[in-house]
Amino acid sequence: MEMLSVVVPTFNEKGNVENLVRQIGDALNGIEYEIVFIDDSTDETPEVLQKLSEENSRVRYEHRTNETGLATAVIRGFRIAKGDFLACMDADLQHPPAILRPMYAALRSGADFCIPSRMIPGGDDGGLNWYRKLVSGTARWIGKIALPCLRKISDPTSGLFMFRKECIEHADLRPVGWKIMIEVLAMSEYRSVIEIPYAFQNRTSGESKLSSKVTMQYLQQVAGLIFRATKRRGIVVTRWTNSYTDNMVKKHIG
Ligand SMILES: Nc1nc2c(ncn2[C@@H]2O[C@H](COP(=O)(O)OP(=O)(O)O)[C@@H](O)[C@H]2O)c(=O)[nH]1
Ligand SMILES: [Mg+2]
């Protein structure tokens, strides 16, 4: 049976990880999966992860003391994941775990990538304040101008995506910046992408780590990718509506 690895980077998320594991379990009922936390926390998150991994054999974690950073964490998670399909999801429940089930259905239907979107009919970015909307909108606009591979993707700057592991087998992924998905989209091998609508949620525990340094790192990352990105043509992006997504979940997962 095919297996899904959900990679979750954590930095001081002790109030969220338990809920996250429970909700991922509900979402992936009947599906073979593991959750791989890559943790750089300075609070009690590692203790909570230790307890969760003892209680649930699907949960693994690595607590790093020699390295930090969101991008390095996600790439590390992809490298140690055992699944045929890999997903990346934030720990703070801003990405609703229930979306993992339709994402998995999208890959089972044959797509190489599934990218949930806040920007298509049925999606909602309501969890963001006006300042974050402005930063995120500008980041998307700059990314799309600089990198042709992002142009057809409506929401390339979130940290929520799922893909077939072989897409990154030969990819030179460099852990620069905050937006790991644009690195993966620019550097890996794929042909078909499915977008499904989702509603971005409010953070209810812990704090955002977004800073102006992170914004600068994004610009640096985009600039580097202009030269490094794999040249490719013929990527097909398909958008599912909410009701079509429900039908596809029934068809491909049951
Ligand atoms: N391992 C690791 N995870 C991080 C780091 N910085 C942020 N994260 C995690 O990355 C995810 C997104 O971070 P968040 O601060 O919520 O970003 P925002 O949603 O853009 O405000 C969360 O799960 C964080 O815990 C880091 O330096 N290392
Ligand atoms: Mg967040």
Side-chain angles (χ1 to χ4, degrees), residues 13 90 92 94 132 200 203 207-209:
E13 302 284 2
D90 288 355
D92 56 8
Q94 292 198 279
R132 289 297 303 267
F200 192 70
R203 192 188 247 282
E207 283 173 6
S208 167
K209 287 95 202 171

Side-chain angles (χ1 to χ4, degrees), residues 156-201:
T157 53
S158 84
L160 177 62
F161 54 109
M162 190 185 289
F163 57 97
R164 293 172 187 273
K165 190 178 200 169
E166 57 263 28
C167 297
I168 58 164
E169 210 170 356
H170 305 293
D172 169 24
L173 299 179
R174 300 196 191 163
V176 278
W178 181 255
K179 299 298 176 191
I180 189 65
M181 179 164 39
I182 70 163
E183 184 80 19
V184 178
L185 283 171
M187 302 308 298
S188 61
E189 295 292 328
Y190 57 96
R191 288 195 68 80
S192 54
V193 179
I194 289 177
E195 296 191 327
I196 53 178
Y198 87 106
F200 192 70
Q201 307 293 309

Side-chain angles (χ1 to χ4, degrees), residues 8-13 38-41 64 68-74 89-92 94-95 132 178-179 200 203 207-210:
V8 183
T10 47
F11 185 82
N12 296 352
E13 302 284 2
I38 306 293
D39 178 61
D40 297 332
S41 299
R64 307 188 303 174
T68 57
L70 175 54
T72 60
V74 174
M89 168 171 265
D90 288 355
D92 56 8
Q94 292 198 279
H95 300 150
R132 289 297 303 267
W178 181 255
K179 299 298 176 191
F200 192 70
R203 192 188 247 282
E207 283 173 6
S208 167
K209 287 95 202 171
L210 189 89

Side-chain angles (χ1 to χ4, degrees), residues 14-35:
K14 65 176 176 187
N16 289 316
V17 283
E18 194 158 2
N19 248 332
L20 182 79
V21 168
R22 200 186 52 250
Q23 291 189 32
I24 292 178
D26 291 345
L28 297 179
N29 185 20
I31 294 167
E32 197 52 46
Y33 74 95
E34 64 170 355
I35 308 175

Side-chain angles (χ1 to χ4, degrees), residues 215-246:
T215 313
M216 289 313 294
Q217 282 174 342
Y218 172 75
L219 296 177
Q220 226 178 334
Q221 180 186 20
V222 170
L225 283 172
I226 292 174
F227 302 102
R228 290 199 292 124
T230 314
K231 302 272 175 295
R232 64 166 74 75
R233 280 170 204 189
I235 292 169
V236 180
V237 181
T238 310
R239 289 183 183 171
W240 287 1
T241 60
N242 275 324
S243 60
Y244 189 76
T245 303
D246 290 344

